[in-house]
Amino acid sequence: MILPSILSADFSRLAEDCRDVLNAGGDFLHIDVMDGHLVPNISFAAPVFKWLRPIFPDVFLDVHLMIDEPVRYAPEMVKAGANNITFHVEAPEVRSDVAAAAREIGKLGCHVGITLKPGTKIETVLPALPYVDLVLIMSVEPGFGGQKFMADQLDKARLIKPMLKPNQRLEIDGGIDEHTIGEARRAGIDWFVAGNAIFGATDRTAAIRRLREAINAGT
Ligand code: DX5
Ligand code: ZN
């Protein structure tokens, strides 16, 4: 799956930009919520993305919470239309018991994802593994779009892939473009987030086609 990250959208025309990347071949929408504490940037939250739900009733909304208190805010994210909630193991609210956090978010009826910053060891996600639908590997320092891909993070993907059940997904986020996506595919990734590589392209259909060609070349 290819997930355009709306952090790179033009927010003065958010709905049109989302429609455009979905028409261009994007599968799901990736939604970055940042609180300025867990990551050094503030983006937007439920009051903004809830407007997408009625416009795109059938589109899977993949919400990436880069916030200190993901369990506290998860209910309003689901109410706003989130289909998946991904939380960070570094979040102060959850880091002492990531399994409990995953179970708590799962009670809301959404999918649950777990993720980690580049400097965090992959072992930190293991206690939560039985309770999550996906593991997200961050291939940049979370906070901003348009950064350089950190290929060394693929070691985490290679390590965790054999531990996943067939219904659990492995996602990557940060610096994905037509040059990096093939290597990510070879490391076992099946969901690919891309911000700049899609929203920044003049021909978004061609950009997504090139991403898919590179994925297929990578397998
Ligand atoms: C970074 C965000 C990403 C970002 C990716 O903190 O989590 O989702 O939008 O953007 P690109 O693909 O431009 O690196
Ligand atoms: Zn993200």
Side-chain angles (χ1 to χ4, degrees), residues 83-107:
N83 296 98
N84 177 72
I85 302 273
T86 293
F87 68 96
H88 271 263
V89 295
E90 302 87 358
E93 184 194 28
V94 306
R95 63 186 168 210
S96 64
D97 193 345
V98 292
R103 286 200 304 269
E104 206 55 41
I105 295 172
K107 282 182 196 162

Side-chain angles (χ1 to χ4, degrees), residues 5 7-8 30 32 34 64 66 138 140-147 173-176 193-196:
S5 173
L7 191 63
S8 297
H30 181 83
D32 287 314
M34 306 179 187
H64 176 191
M66 285 161 272
M138 287 308 302
V140 297
E141 276 305 333
F144 301 91
Q147 302 182 76
D173 183 7
I176 286 293
V193 175
N196 251 34

